[in-house]
Amino acid sequence: MIAAALTLCAAQAEATQPAACFQALDRVLQESLGHRLLTLLRIDAEQTWCERVYTSRPDAFASQGRKALDAAPQMRRVLAAGRPLIVDGEAAVRAAFPDHERIFALGCACVLNVPVRWRGRTVAQLNLLDAAGAYAEPEAALALVAAQLCLPALLND
């Protein structure tokens, strides 16, 4: 974990923000946890919409996609909980995500949603997707620490 944290801290010194931090987060989490898809979503201050600011698979889930939070029931659950949530298995993914067919097309059936919080509110969300059973509480804890280290890039883009 220390090596991952150092990589993320070093990325903050790079001039090419926020891309340097987001790419470092992608690499660190790929090496430590694995994923078939990683996305980062910024949430507006009123928590009415979110915008995808990074994706590891632009061919499947493009950056800069914006949607109303009313159309994202799982994100609303993450906002309410204020902690990572795991949706595991095809039935659970189908029930939680309107775009479940796109998720399944990538071979994913486990979703880890991690809120990035600042001053008592969720300002962004990290999403990791992989095969069923890929994530549990230890993975959620590591992803939470890594995502929080990207907070400056998420606030200042």
Side-chain angles (χ1 to χ4, degrees):
M1 179 59 207
I2 296 297
L6 289 172
T7 297
L8 292 169
C9 289
Q12 291 181 19
E14 297 295 323
T16 56
Q17 296 303 330
C21 280
F22 298 164
Q23 291 165 356
L25 179 67
D26 191 353
R27 281 191 316 275
V28 161
L29 291 177
Q30 184 62 257
E31 291 168 5
S32 58
L33 304 179
H35 58 269
R36 294 180 189 189
L37 174 67
L38 177 150
T39 63
L40 278 169
L41 305 170
R42 183 177 296 115
I43 301 166
D44 81 309
E46 291 79 37
Q47 296 186 342
T48 58
W49 57 264
C50 64
E51 178 179 23
R52 191 175 306 114
V53 295
Y54 180 83
T55 178
S56 65
R57 294 282 311 270
D59 58 317
F61 284 83
S63 290
Q64 308 307 317
R66 185 180 278 195
K67 65 180 169 183
L69 288 181
D70 291 340
Q74 178 64 17
M75 185 171 279
R76 283 283 183 203
R77 288 191 271 292
V78 174
L79 287 169
R83 61 179 177 74
L85 296 178
I86 300 167
V87 178
D88 194 13
E90 284 192 20
V93 170
R94 188 174 284 109
F97 297 99
D99 59 350
H100 58 270
E101 292 301 330
R102 289 176 64 198
I103 292 169
F104 296 151
L106 296 175
C108 300
C110 187
V111 180
L112 171 57
N113 301 128
V114 178
V116 180
R117 298 188 47 87
W118 178 246
R119 294 185 173 176
R121 67 181 180 87
T122 301
V123 298
Q125 181 173 303
L126 164 70
N127 304 305
L128 293 173
L129 292 80
D130 209 336
Y135 307 119
E137 292 305 315
E139 291 81 11
L142 178 65
L144 177 63
V145 171
Q148 274 305 135
L149 286 173
C150 289
L151 180 64
L154 289 161
L155 290 178
N156 291 309
D157 179 32

